[in-house]
PDB file of all heavy atoms in Angstrom:
ATOM      1  N   THR F 534     157.425  86.091  83.430  1.00  0.00           N
ATOM      2  CA  THR F 534     156.323  86.929  83.897  1.00  0.00           C
ATOM      3  C   THR F 534     155.691  86.325  85.145  1.00  0.00           C
ATOM      4  O   THR F 534     155.371  87.035  86.107  1.00  0.00           O
ATOM      5  CB  THR F 534     155.258  87.081  82.793  1.00  0.00           C
ATOM      6  OG1 THR F 534     155.882  87.630  81.627  1.00  0.00           O
ATOM      7  CG2 THR F 534     154.138  88.004  83.242  1.00  0.00           C
ATOM      8  N   THR F 535     155.528  85.010  85.153  1.00  0.00           N
ATOM      9  CA  THR F 535     154.962  84.325  86.310  1.00  0.00           C
ATOM     10  C   THR F 535     155.886  84.421  87.512  1.00  0.00           C
ATOM     11  O   THR F 535     155.443  84.687  88.633  1.00  0.00           O
ATOM     12  CB  THR F 535     154.700  82.843  85.985  1.00  0.00           C
ATOM     13  OG1 THR F 535     153.797  82.754  84.877  1.00  0.00           O
ATOM     14  CG2 THR F 535     154.095  82.119  87.174  1.00  0.00           C
ATOM     15  N   GLU F 536     157.201  84.228  87.280  1.00  0.00           N
ATOM     16  CA  GLU F 536     158.143  84.211  88.405  1.00  0.00           C
ATOM     17  C   GLU F 536     158.469  85.600  88.922  1.00  0.00           C
ATOM     18  O   GLU F 536     158.519  85.827  90.132  1.00  0.00           O
ATOM     19  CB  GLU F 536     159.438  83.504  88.001  1.00  0.00           C
ATOM     20  CG  GLU F 536     160.474  83.500  89.114  1.00  0.00           C
ATOM     21  CD  GLU F 536     161.724  82.704  88.798  1.00  0.00           C
ATOM     22  OE1 GLU F 536     161.678  81.872  87.868  1.00  0.00           O
ATOM     23  OE2 GLU F 536     162.739  82.900  89.476  1.00  0.00           O
ATOM     24  N   LEU F 537     158.709  86.539  88.008  1.00  0.00           N
ATOM     25  CA  LEU F 537     159.212  87.855  88.412  1.00  0.00           C
ATOM     26  C   LEU F 537     158.157  88.951  88.391  1.00  0.00           C
ATOM     27  O   LEU F 537     158.185  89.857  89.205  1.00  0.00           O
ATOM     28  CB  LEU F 537     160.367  88.264  87.481  1.00  0.00           C
ATOM     29  CG  LEU F 537     161.538  87.290  87.377  1.00  0.00           C
ATOM     30  CD1 LEU F 537     162.524  87.772  86.327  1.00  0.00           C
ATOM     31  CD2 LEU F 537     162.219  87.110  88.716  1.00  0.00           C
ATOM     32  N   GLY F 538     157.229  88.859  87.438  1.00  0.00           N
ATOM     33  CA  GLY F 538     156.342  89.989  87.192  1.00  0.00           C
ATOM     34  C   GLY F 538     155.345  90.269  88.287  1.00  0.00           C
ATOM     35  O   GLY F 538     154.966  91.428  88.511  1.00  0.00           O
ATOM     36  N   THR F 539     154.876  89.237  88.973  1.00  0.00           N
ATOM     37  CA  THR F 539     153.825  89.427  89.975  1.00  0.00           C
ATOM     38  C   THR F 539     154.369  89.655  91.377  1.00  0.00           C
ATOM     39  O   THR F 539     153.598  89.846  92.315  1.00  0.00           O
ATOM     40  CB  THR F 539     152.894  88.202  90.006  1.00  0.00           C
ATOM     41  OG1 THR F 539     153.670  87.043  90.286  1.00  0.00           O
ATOM     42  CG2 THR F 539     152.179  88.018  88.680  1.00  0.00           C
ATOM     43  N   ASP F 540     155.696  89.654  91.556  1.00  0.00           N
ATOM     44  CA  ASP F 540     156.277  89.769  92.892  1.00  0.00           C
ATOM     45  C   ASP F 540     155.809  91.025  93.622  1.00  0.00           C
ATOM     46  O   ASP F 540     155.480  90.986  94.809  1.00  0.00           O
ATOM     47  CB  ASP F 540     157.807  89.771  92.816  1.00  0.00           C
ATOM     48  CG  ASP F 540     158.362  88.353  92.743  1.00  0.00           C
ATOM     49  OD1 ASP F 540     157.571  87.405  92.894  1.00  0.00           O
ATOM     50  OD2 ASP F 540     159.570  88.199  92.527  1.00  0.00           O
ATOM     51  N   SER F 541     155.822  92.167  92.937  1.00  0.00           N
ATOM     52  CA  SER F 541     155.457  93.424  93.601  1.00  0.00           C
ATOM     53  C   SER F 541     153.993  93.405  94.036  1.00  0.00           C
ATOM     54  O   SER F 541     153.641  93.906  95.097  1.00  0.00           O
ATOM     55  CB  SER F 541     155.721  94.614  92.681  1.00  0.00           C
ATOM     56  OG  SER F 541     154.933  94.536  91.510  1.00  0.00           O
ATOM     57  N   TRP F 542     153.124  92.807  93.211  1.00  0.00           N
ATOM     58  CA  TRP F 542     151.712  92.708  93.583  1.00  0.00           C
ATOM     59  C   TRP F 542     151.547  91.875  94.847  1.00  0.00           C
ATOM     60  O   TRP F 542     150.828  92.257  95.771  1.00  0.00           O
ATOM     61  CB  TRP F 542     150.916  92.011  92.480  1.00  0.00           C
ATOM     62  CG  TRP F 542     150.762  92.776  91.221  1.00  0.00           C
ATOM     63  CD1 TRP F 542     151.359  93.959  90.888  1.00  0.00           C
ATOM     64  CD2 TRP F 542     149.962  92.391  90.108  1.00  0.00           C
ATOM     65  NE1 TRP F 542     150.983  94.331  89.622  1.00  0.00           N
ATOM     66  CE2 TRP F 542     150.125  93.387  89.133  1.00  0.00           C
ATOM     67  CE3 TRP F 542     149.144  91.313  89.850  1.00  0.00           C
ATOM     68  CZ2 TRP F 542     149.489  93.334  87.896  1.00  0.00           C
ATOM     69  CZ3 TRP F 542     148.498  91.250  88.628  1.00  0.00           C
ATOM     70  CH2 TRP F 542     148.672  92.259  87.664  1.00  0.00           C
ATOM     71  N   ILE F 543     152.182  90.719  94.874  1.00  0.00           N
ATOM     72  CA  ILE F 543     152.017  89.817  96.008  1.00  0.00           C
ATOM     73  C   ILE F 543     152.592  90.432  97.272  1.00  0.00           C
ATOM     74  O   ILE F 543     152.033  90.298  98.361  1.00  0.00           O
ATOM     75  CB  ILE F 543     152.655  88.452  95.691  1.00  0.00           C
ATOM     76  CG1 ILE F 543     151.862  87.794  94.550  1.00  0.00           C
ATOM     77  CG2 ILE F 543     152.690  87.553  96.905  1.00  0.00           C
ATOM     78  CD1 ILE F 543     152.515  86.600  93.949  1.00  0.00           C
ATOM     79  N   THR F 544     153.711  91.154  97.130  1.00  0.00           N
ATOM     80  CA  THR F 544     154.266  91.867  98.280  1.00  0.00           C
ATOM     81  C   THR F 544     153.279  92.903  98.795  1.00  0.00           C
ATOM     82  O   THR F 544     153.059  93.035 100.006  1.00  0.00           O
ATOM     83  CB  THR F 544     155.598  92.540  97.894  1.00  0.00           C
ATOM     84  OG1 THR F 544     156.526  91.546  97.477  1.00  0.00           O
ATOM     85  CG2 THR F 544     156.180  93.299  99.087  1.00  0.00           C
ATOM     86  N   ASP F 545     152.647  93.653  97.887  1.00  0.00           N
ATOM     87  CA  ASP F 545     151.650  94.647  98.284  1.00  0.00           C
ATOM     88  C   ASP F 545     150.474  94.001  99.017  1.00  0.00           C
ATOM     89  O   ASP F 545     149.962  94.544  99.997  1.00  0.00           O
ATOM     90  CB  ASP F 545     151.121  95.403  97.059  1.00  0.00           C
ATOM     91  CG  ASP F 545     152.161  96.349  96.476  1.00  0.00           C
ATOM     92  OD1 ASP F 545     153.136  96.650  97.174  1.00  0.00           O
ATOM     93  OD2 ASP F 545     151.987  96.774  95.316  1.00  0.00           O
ATOM     94  N   LEU F 546     150.025  92.835  98.535  1.00  0.00           N
ATOM     95  CA  LEU F 546     148.890  92.154  99.152  1.00  0.00           C
ATOM     96  C   LEU F 546     149.254  91.580 100.524  1.00  0.00           C
ATOM     97  O   LEU F 546     148.429  91.547 101.442  1.00  0.00           O
ATOM     98  CB  LEU F 546     148.385  91.036  98.239  1.00  0.00           C
ATOM     99  CG  LEU F 546     147.717  91.463  96.929  1.00  0.00           C
ATOM    100  CD1 LEU F 546     147.453  90.246  96.056  1.00  0.00           C
ATOM    101  CD2 LEU F 546     146.434  92.223  97.195  1.00  0.00           C
ATOM    102  N   MET F 547     150.489  91.119 100.658  1.00  0.00           N
ATOM    103  CA  MET F 547     150.906  90.477 101.899  1.00  0.00           C
ATOM    104  C   MET F 547     151.319  91.472 102.975  1.00  0.00           C
ATOM    105  O   MET F 547     151.197  91.184 104.165  1.00  0.00           O
ATOM    106  CB  MET F 547     152.066  89.509 101.635  1.00  0.00           C
ATOM    107  CG  MET F 547     151.664  88.249 100.888  1.00  0.00           C
ATOM    108  SD  MET F 547     153.085  87.164 100.588  1.00  0.00           S
ATOM    109  CE  MET F 547     153.526  86.688 102.246  1.00  0.00           C
ATOM    110  N   THR F 548     151.822  92.641 102.583  1.00  0.00           N
ATOM    111  CA  THR F 548     152.358  93.599 103.550  1.00  0.00           C
ATOM    112  C   THR F 548     151.352  93.978 104.636  1.00  0.00           C
ATOM    113  O   THR F 548     151.699  93.970 105.832  1.00  0.00           O
ATOM    114  CB  THR F 548     152.882  94.847 102.832  1.00  0.00           C
ATOM    115  OG1 THR F 548     153.972  94.458 101.988  1.00  0.00           O
ATOM    116  CG2 THR F 548     153.382  95.887 103.825  1.00  0.00           C
ATOM    117  N   PRO F 549     150.101  94.337 104.291  1.00  0.00           N
ATOM    118  CA  PRO F 549     149.149  94.678 105.362  1.00  0.00           C
ATOM    119  C   PRO F 549     148.900  93.509 106.318  1.00  0.00           C
ATOM    120  O   PRO F 549     148.726  93.718 107.521  1.00  0.00           O
ATOM    121  CB  PRO F 549     147.868  95.042 104.587  1.00  0.00           C
ATOM    122  CG  PRO F 549     148.325  95.400 103.231  1.00  0.00           C
ATOM    123  CD  PRO F 549     149.495  94.521 102.962  1.00  0.00           C
ATOM    124  N   GLU F 550     148.876  92.294 105.771  1.00  0.00           N
ATOM    125  CA  GLU F 550     148.633  91.134 106.629  1.00  0.00           C
ATOM    126  C   GLU F 550     149.826  90.873 107.550  1.00  0.00           C
ATOM    127  O   GLU F 550     149.650  90.484 108.703  1.00  0.00           O
ATOM    128  CB  GLU F 550     148.344  89.889 105.777  1.00  0.00           C
ATOM    129  CG  GLU F 550     147.226  90.065 104.767  1.00  0.00           C
ATOM    130  CD  GLU F 550     145.940  90.558 105.409  1.00  0.00           C
ATOM    131  OE1 GLU F 550     145.660  90.146 106.555  1.00  0.00           O
ATOM    132  OE2 GLU F 550     145.226  91.342 104.775  1.00  0.00           O
ATOM    133  N   MET F 551     151.034  91.087 107.035  1.00  0.00           N
ATOM    134  CA  MET F 551     152.227  90.953 107.870  1.00  0.00           C
ATOM    135  C   MET F 551     152.239  92.022 108.959  1.00  0.00           C
ATOM    136  O   MET F 551     152.660  91.777 110.088  1.00  0.00           O
ATOM    137  CB  MET F 551     153.494  91.057 107.011  1.00  0.00           C
ATOM    138  CG  MET F 551     153.642  89.978 105.952  1.00  0.00           C
ATOM    139  SD  MET F 551     153.998  88.347 106.617  1.00  0.00           S
ATOM    140  CE  MET F 551     155.775  88.482 106.872  1.00  0.00           C
ATOM    141  N   ALA F 552     151.760  93.225 108.606  1.00  0.00           N
ATOM    142  CA  ALA F 552     151.724  94.316 109.573  1.00  0.00           C
ATOM    143  C   ALA F 552     150.798  93.979 110.748  1.00  0.00           C
ATOM    144  O   ALA F 552     151.050  94.382 111.893  1.00  0.00           O
ATOM    145  CB  ALA F 552     151.266  95.605 108.902  1.00  0.00           C
ATOM    146  N   LYS F 553     149.726  93.234 110.470  1.00  0.00           N
ATOM    147  CA  LYS F 553     148.782  92.877 111.531  1.00  0.00           C
ATOM    148  C   LYS F 553     149.416  91.997 112.597  1.00  0.00           C
ATOM    149  O   LYS F 553     148.967  91.972 113.745  1.00  0.00           O
ATOM    150  CB  LYS F 553     147.572  92.154 110.927  1.00  0.00           C
ATOM    151  CG  LYS F 553     146.668  93.057 110.093  1.00  0.00           C
ATOM    152  CD  LYS F 553     145.540  92.263 109.462  1.00  0.00           C
ATOM    153  CE  LYS F 553     144.686  93.164 108.565  1.00  0.00           C
ATOM    154  NZ  LYS F 553     143.607  92.388 107.890  1.00  0.00           N
ATOM    155  N   VAL F 554     150.445  91.239 112.207  1.00  0.00           N
ATOM    156  CA  VAL F 554     151.124  90.393 113.189  1.00  0.00           C
ATOM    157  C   VAL F 554     152.465  90.997 113.608  1.00  0.00           C
ATOM    158  O   VAL F 554     153.318  90.311 114.170  1.00  0.00           O
ATOM    159  CB  VAL F 554     151.329  88.969 112.633  1.00  0.00           C
ATOM    160  CG1 VAL F 554     149.997  88.271 112.483  1.00  0.00           C
ATOM    161  CG2 VAL F 554     152.073  88.983 111.301  1.00  0.00           C
ATOM    162  N   GLY F 555     152.655  92.281 113.310  1.00  0.00           N
ATOM    163  CA  GLY F 555     153.799  93.020 113.827  1.00  0.00           C
ATOM    164  C   GLY F 555     155.071  92.958 113.018  1.00  0.00           C
ATOM    165  O   GLY F 555     156.152  93.252 113.543  1.00  0.00           O
ATOM    166  N   PHE F 556     154.991  92.594 111.740  1.00  0.00           N
ATOM    167  CA  PHE F 556     156.186  92.518 110.906  1.00  0.00           C
ATOM    168  C   PHE F 556     156.175  93.625 109.865  1.00  0.00           C
ATOM    169  O   PHE F 556     155.119  94.037 109.380  1.00  0.00           O
ATOM    170  CB  PHE F 556     156.281  91.166 110.194  1.00  0.00           C
ATOM    171  CG  PHE F 556     156.587  90.019 111.103  1.00  0.00           C
ATOM    172  CD1 PHE F 556     155.598  89.129 111.478  1.00  0.00           C
ATOM    173  CD2 PHE F 556     157.867  89.837 111.592  1.00  0.00           C
ATOM    174  CE1 PHE F 556     155.877  88.071 112.320  1.00  0.00           C
ATOM    175  CE2 PHE F 556     158.159  88.779 112.434  1.00  0.00           C
ATOM    176  CZ  PHE F 556     157.160  87.891 112.804  1.00  0.00           C
ATOM    177  N   GLN F 557     157.386  94.103 109.501  1.00  0.00           N
ATOM    178  CA  GLN F 557     157.523  95.099 108.446  1.00  0.00           C
ATOM    179  C   GLN F 557     157.325  94.440 107.082  1.00  0.00           C
ATOM    180  O   GLN F 557     157.489  93.232 106.923  1.00  0.00           O
ATOM    181  CB  GLN F 557     158.904  95.748 108.487  1.00  0.00           C
ATOM    182  CG  GLN F 557     159.200  96.512 109.769  1.00  0.00           C
ATOM    183  CD  GLN F 557     160.605  97.094 109.786  1.00  0.00           C
ATOM    184  OE1 GLN F 557     161.305  97.047 108.782  1.00  0.00           O
ATOM    185  NE2 GLN F 557     161.015  97.624 110.910  1.00  0.00           N
ATOM    186  N   GLY F 558     156.997  95.289 106.096  1.00  0.00           N
ATOM    187  CA  GLY F 558     156.781  94.779 104.749  1.00  0.00           C
ATOM    188  C   GLY F 558     158.001  94.091 104.169  1.00  0.00           C
ATOM    189  O   GLY F 558     157.883  93.155 103.374  1.00  0.00           O
TER     190      GLY F 558
END
């Protein structure tokens, strides 16, 4: 659960921040 379960959440949280520096999700 720790390794696999939270991946989608963390990707969702990081995607907008990556977008600010010009990277795709």
